[in-house]
Amino acid sequence: MPNHSLPRPGRRATTDTPTIQIPAERAVVDCAIYVDGTRLPGRYTHAAALAEVRRRGEGFVWLGLHQPDEHQMTSVARTFDLHELMVEDAVHAHQRPKLERYDDLLFLVLRTVTYVEHESVTTTNDIVETGEIMLFTGPDFIVSVRHGDHSELSAVRTRLEADPTQLARGPAAVLHAIADHVVDSYLEVTTAVQPDVDDLEEFVFTPDTRIAVEQIYLLKREILQLRRAVVPLEEPLQRLIRAPGNPIPKDIRRYFRDVADHHTTVSDRIALFDETLSTLLDAALAKVTVQQNTDMRRISAWVAIAAVPTMIAGVYGMNFDHMPELHWEYAYYVVIGAIALIVAVLFVLFRRNKWL
């Protein structure tokens, strides 16, 4: 008879399932070597590309990754000698825009934004979506890590490859091009959001319209999300321009000044949006208060009108034996007529005073 042994108390009977580690190459969008602004032919792994650049003693590697996991990012970090804190930030994302320096390496975090198309600002819940781009820049490489489906950099790479003079400036030129691309997208998003704010403003101040205050709060929330993605980038941009011992070449810093100017324009627009929505919120609340007062006056007027027949009917419903005109033949018609006359007079008075 077979002996089926049971697991002893305190002993785990389950078997740990091994974690399948996906190679770093699965997260690679593109990996290229650039020498004198020209892309070398062929395909390279990130390790082979860096080895080739260092063997030549010139050029740099541009590695693009999309949402790498911890194993993939650790593999890249070993190749490019990235700090473990950089790896943690790159994997978990959800970082504020920031600039950190580790010896001769720069770590820049950019938040990306995109405009969500919709039919009407009064019916949608989402106006903008955010993502992230993290850039690791060294003397002979730049690694871009993207989170989000709308943060593609293929257009930036194509534009730079068509301009070998700019690309020959090295990784700092790529860093500027990506930052410029992201800030330009901020301008596009704020330009697209402007009609939404204008439409909501027109709707609030249009007479005889009922506006849901919650919709203003929703748009204000989206503007707040946009502000959190955009405004904190000001300090990293200023550091890239003015920080002492900055590894960014002086000629590239001049280009970053233009990026900083565009960023200031975007920040001013967002501040204006927020101020406008605060004003609209106050106006909408005042409009709701006026509407409530109007409704209360209308209700009070109808209550006053209804009180007249209620009072008279209540008096004659007491069933006393001795009441004026109780046994008069025309008393019913006189009472009904008096009620109708008083109600009509009250109705005219309330209507003249715009309570009804």
Side-chain angles (χ1 to χ4, degrees):
M1 184 175 181
N3 181 19
H4 298 285
S5 60
L6 297 176
R8 297 180 181 178
R11 177 179 297 178
R12 188 173 63 183
T14 58
T15 303
D16 293 336
T17 302
T19 302
I20 299 177
Q21 296 181 342
I22 302 176
E25 286 71 18
R26 294 286 295 274
V28 174
V29 178
D30 199 355
C31 180
I33 300 174
Y34 297 94
V35 177
D36 294 330
T38 303
R39 179 169 181 161
L40 297 185
R43 301 183 62 180
Y44 299 87
T45 64
H46 57 279
L50 186 63
E52 177 65 18
V53 165
R54 291 179 175 174
R55 184 188 67 82
R56 289 171 171 263
E58 60 178 351
F60 69 95
V61 178
W62 181 0
L63 173 65
L65 303 173
H66 183 237
Q67 298 184 175
D69 59 26
E70 186 172 0
H71 168 71
Q72 294 168 335
M73 196 63 210
T74 300
S75 174
V76 172
R78 282 196 297 265
T79 300
F80 293 94
D81 195 23
L82 304 180
H83 195 278
E84 60 181 4
L85 294 178
M86 293 181 174
V87 176
E88 182 178 354
D89 289 344
V91 172
H92 298 292
H94 303 293
Q95 304 291 320
R96 287 172 57 88
K98 64 180 181 179
L99 176 66
E100 295 179 353
R101 183 176 178 182
Y102 296 82
D103 298 327
D104 58 346
L105 300 182
L106 288 180
F107 176 45
L108 177 64
V109 177
L110 303 168
R111 296 295 300 274
T112 60
V113 295
T114 186
Y115 181 74
V116 180
E117 296 292 341
H118 51 271
E119 294 183 359
S120 173
V121 68
T122 59
T123 58
T124 186
N125 291 331
D126 295 317
I127 302 293
V128 295
E129 290 182 355
T130 61
E132 291 182 44
I133 296 178
M134 303 176 184
L135 303 173
F136 306 87
T137 307
D140 53 5
F141 69 85
I142 180 168
V143 178
S144 57
V145 179
R146 299 190 295 109
H147 290 270
D149 296 330
H150 64 272
S151 54
E152 292 185 2
L153 297 176
S154 57
V156 179
R157 190 185 288 263
T158 300
R159 186 172 67 250
L160 282 175
E161 290 178 352
D163 186 6
T165 302
Q166 185 69 8
L167 197 55
R169 299 175 185 269
V174 179
L175 182 70
H176 161 263
I178 295 175
D180 185 56
H181 169 74
V182 170
V183 173
D184 284 347
S185 71
Y186 295 164
L187 287 169
E188 294 173 0
V189 169
T190 53
T191 300
V193 170
Q194 181 68 61
D196 291 329
V197 177
D198 293 340
D199 290 345
L200 196 59
E201 182 177 16
E202 181 180 359
F203 193 78
V204 169
F205 289 107
T206 299
D208 302 325
T209 57
R210 292 181 178 270
I211 179 66
V213 177
E214 292 80 4
Q215 195 60 45
I216 302 178
Y217 276 118
L218 288 175
L219 184 55
K220 195 173 178 63
R221 180 199 65 186
E222 294 297 298
I223 296 301
L224 177 60
Q225 182 180 4
L226 182 61
R227 185 176 66 184
R228 287 175 175 172
V230 173
V231 174
L233 184 59
E234 179 181 2
E235 191 267 341
L237 289 177
Q238 294 301 322
R239 287 179 58 192
L240 285 171
I241 297 171
R242 297 186 175 91
N246 197 330
I248 301 297
K250 187 175 181 179
D251 56 341
I252 299 296
R253 295 187 200 180
R254 297 191 181 99
Y255 291 99
F256 273 109
R257 291 193 183 97
D258 182 65
V259 176
D261 289 341
H262 290 174
H263 181 269
T264 300
T265 300
V266 175
S267 298
D268 292 343
R269 287 185 183 180
I270 295 174
L272 181 60
F273 291 159
D274 189 61
E275 181 180 352
T276 301
L277 289 176
S278 296
T279 303
L280 291 181
L281 186 59
D282 293 339
L285 291 175
K287 193 173 182 180
V288 170
T289 301
V290 171
Q291 185 62 46
Q292 289 177 341
N293 291 337
T294 302
D295 294 340
M296 287 301 299
R297 288 192 303 178
R298 185 176 290 111
I299 293 171
S300 299
W302 284 114
V303 169
I305 292 173
V308 174
T310 301
M311 181 186 67
I312 296 176
V315 171
Y316 278 88
M318 292 180 181
N319 295 325
F320 290 118
D321 290 333
H322 303 286
M323 294 183 67
E325 314 301 339
L326 187 62
H327 300 288
W328 185 35
E329 180 180 358
Y330 300 103
Y332 171 79
Y333 302 103
V334 172
V335 171
I336 294 299
I339 291 175
L341 178 62
I342 296 173
V343 167
V345 170
L346 289 175
F347 181 81
V348 171
L349 289 175
F350 287 136
R351 194 65 177 266
R352 183 175 297 174
N353 291 308
K354 298 182 179 180
W355 280 46
L356 292 175

